[in-house]
Amino acid sequence: MHSVAFDQMLPVFMHHPRQKAVQTQTSLIHFSGGFGISSNRIGLLLILNGIFGMFVQFIIFPPVAKRFGVLTCMKTCTVLFPVIYIVFPFTSLIESDQKQQIIGLLLIACKCCMTVFAFPCNAILLTNSSASAGTLGTLNGVATSVAEIGRTIGPTMGGLMFNVGVEAGLIVLPWWVMAAIALAAALPVLWMEDRPTPTELAPQSQEHANAVEDCEVGASRRRQ
């Protein structure tokens, strides 16, 4: 939900006018400006982000997931999501347009990387948690339904929070609400443990059964 809300608010935030110099900040978080860049520029930045996402998906993700494990990658992503959401709105305070867009693009690329890792890792963990092929269909159905609910609520909530934040002079509000949601979603992931799947346990069970059978055969021969 928070990932979809971020994607929905991102172009709106980047097109939102900069905070005027005459406006004074009463606190570190009391500001309401965006990037104030054109639609063409926003499109270019999003294209670059999309190209980077494809590179991560096909080149970086497979070896990294194989090296560190799916669960470790998932935990890392869930921890970094809230950090990115908390930091991102402060990029609107950077005075230089060039530095602002470069730093903003780097943060967007980091979020893209986390998304590219999180979605397949989530699917793999869901598949591995299924005890049988029969329950896998039920799990996938429930997971898809919940995900669609999040995709529906996320953009609506993000747009509403963005409007409230702009009117209140707190542009950080929608981003920090997303950070809170992402943090809440990260807690159960951090408690997860990597255990052998039923497929991995099957050969071990067969080996144990064979060993027991060999012992019984040996014992019967000695009795004879």
Side-chain angles (χ1 to χ4, degrees):
M1 181 171 69
H2 57 82
S3 179
V4 179
F6 180 95
D7 295 337
Q8 179 264 338
M9 286 196 304
L10 178 61
V12 179
F13 175 71
M14 299 180 80
H15 188 67
H16 188 69
R18 274 180 169 272
Q19 180 164 297
K20 297 180 180 180
V22 295
Q23 292 178 313
T24 57
Q25 291 182 228
T26 58
S27 67
L28 182 63
I29 63 174
H30 198 274
F31 59 94
S32 60
F35 279 26
I37 58 179
S38 65
S39 300
N40 292 336
R41 192 68 174 180
I42 295 173
L44 176 61
L45 295 177
L46 294 181
I47 288 174
L48 294 176
N49 182 57
I51 295 173
F52 174 74
M54 290 189 293
F55 174 78
V56 173
Q57 180 74 66
F58 295 109
I59 304 299
I60 298 180
F61 172 73
V64 172
K66 183 178 181 180
R67 172 67 177 82
F68 296 101
V70 173
L71 183 57
T72 301
C73 293
M74 187 66 181
K75 289 182 177 180
T76 304
C77 293
T78 55
V79 170
L80 291 179
F81 272 126
V83 176
I84 294 174
Y85 297 156
I86 291 173
V87 174
F88 188 77
F90 291 99
T91 55
S92 65
L93 298 178
I94 301 175
E95 295 182 0
S96 171
D97 291 343
Q98 185 177 8
K99 291 181 180 179
Q100 181 188 63
Q101 294 176 28
I102 291 175
I103 295 175
L105 181 60
L106 290 176
L107 290 174
I108 296 170
C110 289
K111 189 268 177 183
C112 176
C113 184
M114 296 304 102
T115 303
V116 169
F117 270 76
F119 278 95
C121 287
N122 180 64
I124 293 171
L125 291 173
L126 181 65
T127 302
N128 291 343
S129 65
S130 176
S132 64
T135 58
L136 179 59
T138 303
L139 284 175
N140 281 329
V142 173
T144 302
S145 300
V146 174
E148 292 304 322
I149 293 174
R151 291 189 180 98
T152 302
I153 298 176
T156 304
M157 182 195 67
L160 177 62
M161 290 293 99
F162 188 87
N163 289 335
V164 173
V166 170
E167 293 177 358
L170 293 170
I171 200 71
V172 300
L173 177 63
W175 306 100
W176 286 15
V177 169
M178 286 193 303
I181 295 174
L183 183 61
L187 294 179
V189 177
L190 296 177
W191 290 336
M192 293 176 64
E193 297 180 358
D194 197 3
R195 297 180 179 178
T197 63
T199 304
E200 295 172 341
L201 290 174
Q204 299 178 6
S205 301
Q206 185 62 38
E207 291 177 1
H208 178 71
N210 293 337
V212 172
E213 183 179 356
D214 293 340
C215 290
E216 292 177 351
V217 171
S220 63
R221 288 178 178 176
R222 286 194 296 271
R223 286 195 297 269
Q224 294 176 357

